[in-house]
Amino acid sequence: MWRSVTRPRPHRPGPRPRRLLAGALALGTVLAGLVPVTASASGRGVDPYDAVDQFIGTRLDTGQDKGNSAYGDTYPGATVPFGMVQSSPTTYRSGDGDQKGGYEYTADRLRGFGMTRLSGTGCEGRFSAFDFPVLPYTGELPGGALPVSPATRITDYYLPFRHDREQARPGYYKVRTDNDVSTELTATTRTAVSRYDFSGAARSALLIDVAGSNNRVFGSQVTVSGNTVSGWVESAAVCDVGGRYRAYFSTTFDRPVRAFGTWQGGTVTPGSATARSTGDPHGAGAYLVFDQGARVTAKSGLSYVSVAGAAHNRDTETRSLGFGQVRDRAARTWREALGTLAADGGARERRVTFYTALYHALLHPNVFDDADGRWTGYDGQVHQVAGGRHEYVTYSGWDAYRGQAQLVALLFPKVGDDINQSIVDMVRQTGTWPNWPHLNQSQQKMSGDSLQSLLASVDAFGSTHYDRAGALASMKATQSLPATATRRAGAQQYFSTGFLESRRGGSATSTTLEYAIDDFGIAQLAGRLGDRDAYGTFMARAQNWQNVFDDTTRQIRPRDRTGFDRGFDLSRRGDQFDQATGYQYGWLVPHDVGTLIEKRGGIARVTAELDEHTKDLDAGVYGVTGAYLSNQPSFSMPYVYNWLRRPDRTADVLRRAVTELYGTSPSGLPGNDDLGSLSAWYVWANLGVYPSVYGTADLVVSAPMFDHVRIRSAGTGRTLTLRADGVSQGRVYVAGLRVDGRRTTRSWVDEGFTRRGGTLTFTMARTPGTWGTGAGDVPPSYTDGADARNDIGTTPAGRGDLGSLDLSGNSLSRDRLAAAGAAPGARLPLGATGAVFTWPDTAPGEPDNWIPHGQRIALGGARGTGITFLGLATNGPAQGEAVVEYTDGSTQRVPVGLTDWTPGTDYRFGNVPLVTTEGRNTAGGGSDSAQAKVFATAPVALDPDRRVASVVLPQGSDRGVLHLFDVALTSGPLTD
């Protein structure tokens, strides 16, 4: 029997780190408590810092057409972990004008060096960021003016370059462009420090393209004052799906500005000190002229509060530091960050891909508060961050909840605390839960409501120093009926009936799965906080995935109000599965894999199906049945083998994936990195453990790919050590495991170990053995709530927004039901049969009936002559088959057929109407005049000499939707 596990309260290991002084804030605060790691400390071969290759993931593989780009969309540049600033180049390909919005390795020109960047996003052409690009210029200045306004022809100023003249290391980038200018970039948390060497050029000028952001620009301004240039830009957030942000900068130069000018629209004005645009790309900017052959260092503070804030950030972080000092500090910070995960052994190539992946996983989310603690909220107001805190922004919720957030929380628990508090702050300011906020813009992108799962996972990993009660309260308030404060698409339908019908489109089927995962996370947080009511409510909703599981085809598939769409082609990307196929999403029930396996036909059948599915690990979405491991819905799929008692095959799939899909070339990332989520998955795959049950800190064990790994949580005493001697000699399968010295055959470790820390000692072998193959060795499946009522079909007068019975927003009136004898708790006898139903005693807004998916209803060992069900069908009639379970272990199949609830006089299946109401409530608050009925099914004879333990409701229905309010046994004789 798959089992549910009671969760212990989380334990935060070690003392909280003290906040560092302001002088160290630029580089050290978010990494407080770390000790630098040297090559000898981190293992044999190239050390973590030297292993990072920032060019991995920068090339689009045009030979693949999988659905999403085979392009990491990463970038070389200068930043620090979770930094506000990402000083970096962005490219342009002159042959076809392609600019990707980021850095693409086949391009031949640079669009300049910007201050901000998003790593790995999709939305080609609408990547956002790349604010305030700077272009070194060495050409003519006729009459002291640029020859043409950049607003008219910006491409004239793009910089030809070659890769053999580039260098990139964590925290540092350098390129010598073909105009013989050497540009070097480094950064602190909030300041870009750049050095431009014009010693080989005839002229020395810098263009500051304040309106040069990637996305649409709505306004910009620049001002030159002595050796300082400052300004702002207002630009569209990532993917341009809503919201615009305003960024500010202030730059000082260590060499005198000999001449300057601005451009505004098509006009270039020498000597002008200010310019402003209202929305044209590249519509305003400034150019500065320095001495011929000058070597100029620029310090550019960034702020999302004000120009003064940007200047304060710059002065606080870099006032007394030269370029080399900032570069060295950035390098030291990266050595410390990468050193939290010390892996020993492995070939150079594996270490390069591993530590580059870790580097990419630590780029987001980002510090958003200024050095003085001020930050601009989602409400447009300026707030002050609490002492010892940082405000973090930019979350790819749909991506990050599948491992990236957990990795950050494991390595940097203090960052995890602040991430969760920042999310709570966002919810308070917006009144809801955005799913893909960029900076302080609370926009929606992708399906699901994943920040709830993300927060629950970070909490499970021990980052509990935030307003946990406030987080849970906001989840309960926003993710309940009436659906007025949620941003979940189709929330009224989902909250009422437990699934989104396929006719909605918009990835309705996969969104149902995502919402169930989100609700599981809410339930787990509620359980850890001791809120049993909320735990029960959201665990019941966590089982909603079963509403879109078709028992006939044994597949998750689209379901409409009239039944399952069994003609839908699961091999294609359609309007039902977000960025994936039905075959790929068919494995995404991470919290209840055991039940999924049972429903799909059992271990043997499902193992064969998964073997077939994993023949192609990166098949894409066009008419395929294989996996798509370069995209997020497939991330947890390999670990299903652990529930199938074959952890060796989990290890096989992961080893194939890291070998076949990843590499050290610029095209070495097989898909969009999505703010580090793909890279984080790669890190977990190599570690040999993965938080596959999102919302918990359970770790599913595959097999480490390094001989020895030490994971140190910064600022705490928590250390996780993984010893797997022999991996580098080809012993790649787990033959035995000890947890803190105690032998176990379980192929998982619970979240207590994850929060506490400890040692996993593996015995490795060259061939698979029996470890992890027993029935009791599989990871847990969380089945709480599986038998609960799951539809809200009755509502008070005028409050049809509190439920829906038919997926159209119609519901039974609680007032009219009471008048007809069906008040909460009322007893409804079925003639002379002796059967008595009890009308559900539920409050408004609580589930009051079952949409059947195999729920087990206990009957307490009672005897009866027959069994009957109280219910109705919507968009019916509909029928299915229940199973009576006797106490002696025997079973009996029982047909269940119900008439549509608005039947007129056409009753089916021998149904007897027990309750009749005049008029149904509507979601808009009104009512209609339809007569609705609730029926009792014709009793089916049972063995009166046996006791009935329980009845398992039908797994589904042939068409329409069955709704069952109660079940009862008859005691009198049955007649034909």
Side-chain angles (χ1 to χ4, degrees), residues 338-677:
L338 296 168
T340 57
L341 211 169
D344 183 12
R348 176 184 175 85
E349 291 76 11
R350 178 59 57 82
R351 295 179 67 77
V352 167
T353 54
F354 180 77
Y355 279 108
T356 301
L358 180 58
Y359 169 84
H360 285 144
L362 302 182
L363 296 177
H364 298 284
N366 305 104
V367 169
F368 197 61
D369 54 290
D370 283 350
D372 61 5
R374 300 202 309 158
W375 62 287
T376 301
Y378 299 83
D379 55 2
Q381 303 300 306
V382 176
H383 300 266
Q384 184 75 34
V385 73
R389 292 280 189 180
H390 285 302
E391 200 70 25
Y392 285 89
V393 294
T394 306
Y395 302 95
S396 57
W398 189 79
D399 312 280
Y401 87 85
R402 308 174 205 255
Q404 193 255 353
Q406 293 91 326
L407 184 63
V408 170
L410 177 61
L411 300 181
F412 303 103
K414 177 64 170 64
V415 176
D417 289 337
D418 290 353
I419 285 172
N420 276 4
Q421 185 60 51
S422 298
I423 292 173
V424 173
D425 293 342
M426 175 188 67
V427 174
R428 284 176 177 158
Q429 291 169 17
T430 64
T432 188
W433 283 76
N435 67 355
W436 216 112
H438 174 211
L439 299 175
N440 56 353
Q441 302 304 303
S442 59
Q443 63 180 17
Q444 301 297 102
K445 190 166 80 74
M446 307 304 297
S447 57
D449 207 10
S450 305
L451 288 185
Q452 293 147 30
S453 179
L454 184 152
L455 181 144
S457 294
V458 170
D459 182 277
F461 268 72
S463 291
T464 59
H465 291 274
Y466 69 99
D467 183 4
R468 303 173 80 201
L472 179 60
S474 71
M475 293 175 185
K476 292 162 59 177
T478 58
Q479 309 314 318
S480 301
L481 290 170
T484 54
T486 183
R487 295 184 75 167
R488 295 191 187 187
Q492 161 74 19
Q493 188 175 88
Y494 174 80
F495 292 161
S496 299
T497 65
F499 69 100
L500 298 180
E501 60 178 336
S502 57
R503 70 177 61 185
R504 295 185 59 89
S507 305
T509 307
S510 65
T511 299
T512 297
L513 300 179
E514 297 283 358
Y515 287 167
I517 294 169
D518 303 332
D519 289 336
F520 175 76
I522 298 173
Q524 295 307 296
L525 178 64
R528 288 191 288 270
L529 292 177
D531 188 334
R532 302 307 301 174
D533 289 342
Y535 175 82
T537 295
F538 287 98
M539 275 305 298
R541 286 197 352 204
Q543 307 301 334
N544 281 343
W545 68 271
Q546 299 192 57
N547 289 329
V548 290
F549 186 90
D550 176 26
D551 189 58
T552 297
T553 61
R554 296 183 176 179
Q555 293 281 1
I556 287 169
R557 63 171 51 253
R559 183 181 187 180
D560 194 45
R561 63 185 65 179
T562 57
F564 283 96
D565 183 358
R566 297 186 178 113
F568 185 87
D569 183 359
L570 294 175
S571 72
R572 66 176 175 86
R573 174 180 179 171
D575 64 349
Q576 295 300 314
F577 297 97
D578 202 351
Q579 292 193 7
T581 69
Y583 288 113
Q584 292 152 7
Y585 255 108
W587 304 102
L588 190 63
V589 187
H591 53 284
D592 197 7
V593 177
T595 302
L596 177 67
I597 290 170
E598 288 179 354
K599 283 181 171 287
R600 289 186 66 147
I603 288 177
R605 177 189 175 101
V606 176
T607 301
E609 290 176 343
L610 191 54
D611 287 346
E612 182 66 27
H613 185 67
T614 55
K615 285 181 178 178
D616 191 340
L617 296 182
D618 207 26
V621 294
Y622 300 122
V624 298
T625 60
Y628 191 9
L629 269 175
S630 64
N631 204 32
Q632 283 71 19
S634 284
F635 277 9
S636 62
M637 173 274 299
Y639 299 91
V640 172
Y641 276 120
N642 281 57
W643 280 265
L644 294 169
R645 309 181 196 175
R646 292 301 304 269
D648 60 299
R649 293 195 184 177
T650 304
D652 284 337
V653 170
L654 297 179
R655 195 164 53 252
R656 283 177 53 209
V658 303
T659 303
E660 296 173 11
L661 307 185
Y662 294 80
T664 58
S665 73
S667 57
L669 265 176
N672 296 148
D673 205 25
D674 292 312
L675 306 194
S677 66

Side-chain angles (χ1 to χ4, degrees), residues 253-340:
F253 303 91
D254 69 341
R255 294 291 182 267
V257 176
R258 298 305 185 187
F260 61 87
T262 65
W263 72 87
Q264 187 166 304
T267 302
V268 178
T269 307
S272 168
T274 187
R276 184 167 186 156
S277 75
T278 57
D280 296 328
H282 316 288
Y287 61 95
L288 314 173
V289 182
F290 300 90
D291 291 330
Q292 181 179 353
R295 195 181 191 197
V296 181
T297 297
K299 296 180 177 180
S300 302
L302 177 67
S303 172
Y304 293 92
V305 176
S306 64
V307 166
H312 180 68
N313 289 342
R314 178 198 64 226
D315 292 343
T316 299
E317 296 183 350
T318 67
R319 181 191 301 275
S320 61
L321 302 177
F323 180 91
Q325 292 172 298
V326 175
R327 178 192 59 204
D328 292 346
R329 291 191 179 192
R332 185 165 63 250
T333 301
W334 274 114
R335 289 185 185 278
E336 294 170 352
L338 296 168
T340 57

Side-chain angles (χ1 to χ4, degrees), residues 808-850:
S808 296
N810 298 313
S811 56
L812 290 168
S813 166
R814 293 173 67 92
D815 307 86
R816 290 168 177 159
L817 284 168
R827 294 170 63 80
L828 303 172
L830 178 58
T833 66
V836 179
F837 297 106
T838 301
W839 190 257
D841 189 6
T842 59
E846 292 181 353
D848 48 42
N849 70 93
W850 291 278

Side-chain angles (χ1 to χ4, degrees), residues 881-961:
E881 187 177 68
V883 177
V884 171
E885 298 177 326
Y886 294 106
T887 56
D888 63 5
S890 61
T891 61
Q892 178 182 338
R893 296 185 179 277
V894 176
V896 180
L898 284 164
T899 301
D900 187 89
W901 64 328
T902 57
T905 59
D906 183 18
Y907 307 155
R908 305 290 184 92
F909 315 114
N911 289 172
V912 176
L914 280 192
V915 182
T916 300
T917 66
E918 301 290 337
R920 305 173 301 179
N921 291 341
T922 61
S927 63
D928 64 16
S929 59
Q931 185 183 80
K933 296 180 182 293
V934 183
F935 300 92
T937 63
V940 176
L942 300 179
D943 185 339
D945 295 326
R946 295 179 181 175
R947 295 183 180 274
V948 179
S950 56
V951 60
V952 177
L953 300 184
Q955 296 292 335
S957 56
D958 60 335
R959 52 182 173 157
V961 180

